[in-house]
């Protein structure tokens, strides 16, 4: 749940920045809930994808990126985002947010590995 909320926040900040570039002055409350619903759908799909074993990590990341882009573009069609935002901009925004989230996941994983290593060292000292 924390990842969904964090990704929704990142999405809204990036969306606000892009809206400024296009002369936008407001983000409607419906957009906030649409972004939340989109991120919920993305994380459910990624949760399901994590149950499969992939031979190559790059393949796993590529499939997740394709799933995320497809989900975003489909959601954009459902909520008629293309009236205000070009498809290319939406796709690039998605890739950028996906990259940020991957970096945050990597940092979190690195901290977990450090904590595990400390526990192993403590156990070995006993």
């Amino acid at each position: 749940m924390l990842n969904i909320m964090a990704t929704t926040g990142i999405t809204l900040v990036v969306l606000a920045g892009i809206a400024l570039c296009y002369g936008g002055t407001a983000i409607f409350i419906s957009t906030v809930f649409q972004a939340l619903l989109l991120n919920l759908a993305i994380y459910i799909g990624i949760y399901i994808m994590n149950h499969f074993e992939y031979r190559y990590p790059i393949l796993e990341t590529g499939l997740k990126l394709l799933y995320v882009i497809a989900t975003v573009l489909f959601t954009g069609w459902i909520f008629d985002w293309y009236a205000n935002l070009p498809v290319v901009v939406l796709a690039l925004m998605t890739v950028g947010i996906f990259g940020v989230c991957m970096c945050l996941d990597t940092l979190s994983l690195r901290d977990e590995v450090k904590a595990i290593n400390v526990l192993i060292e403590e156990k070995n000292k006993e």
Side-chain angles (χ1 to χ4, degrees):
M1 195 61 169
L2 181 64
N3 287 346
I4 294 169
M5 293 300 178
T7 305
T8 301
I10 293 168
T11 301
L12 293 173
V13 169
V14 170
L15 185 59
I18 290 173
L20 282 174
C21 294
Y22 283 92
T25 57
I27 294 179
F28 294 107
I29 193 74
S30 62
T31 305
V32 173
F33 290 109
Q34 290 169 4
L36 178 62
L37 181 65
L38 168 63
N39 285 306
L40 180 64
I42 287 171
Y43 275 96
I44 288 171
I46 288 176
Y47 176 78
I48 292 168
M49 291 175 82
N50 284 338
H51 283 26
F52 296 100
E53 252 187 72
Y54 301 94
R55 190 174 192 142
Y56 305 103
I58 192 119
L59 174 66
E60 178 181 3
T61 303
L63 288 174
K64 286 179 181 178
L65 180 59
L66 284 174
Y67 168 74
V68 169
I69 290 174
T71 305
V72 168
L73 294 178
F74 181 70
T75 305
W77 175 71
I78 289 173
F79 292 127
D80 196 30
W81 293 344
Y82 303 126
N84 301 315
L85 190 65
V87 175
V88 174
V89 173
L90 186 60
L92 290 174
M93 184 177 104
T94 301
V95 171
I97 292 170
F98 184 81
V100 168
C101 290
M102 290 294 292
C103 289
L104 292 174
D105 282 345
T106 302
L107 291 174
S108 175
L109 184 61
R110 191 177 76 180
D111 290 341
E112 288 177 22
V113 168
K114 285 180 183 179
I116 291 170
N117 286 338
V118 167
L119 291 173
I120 291 172
E121 288 176 11
E122 288 175 2
K123 183 170 176 131
N124 288 339
K125 288 180 183 179
E126 294 175 359

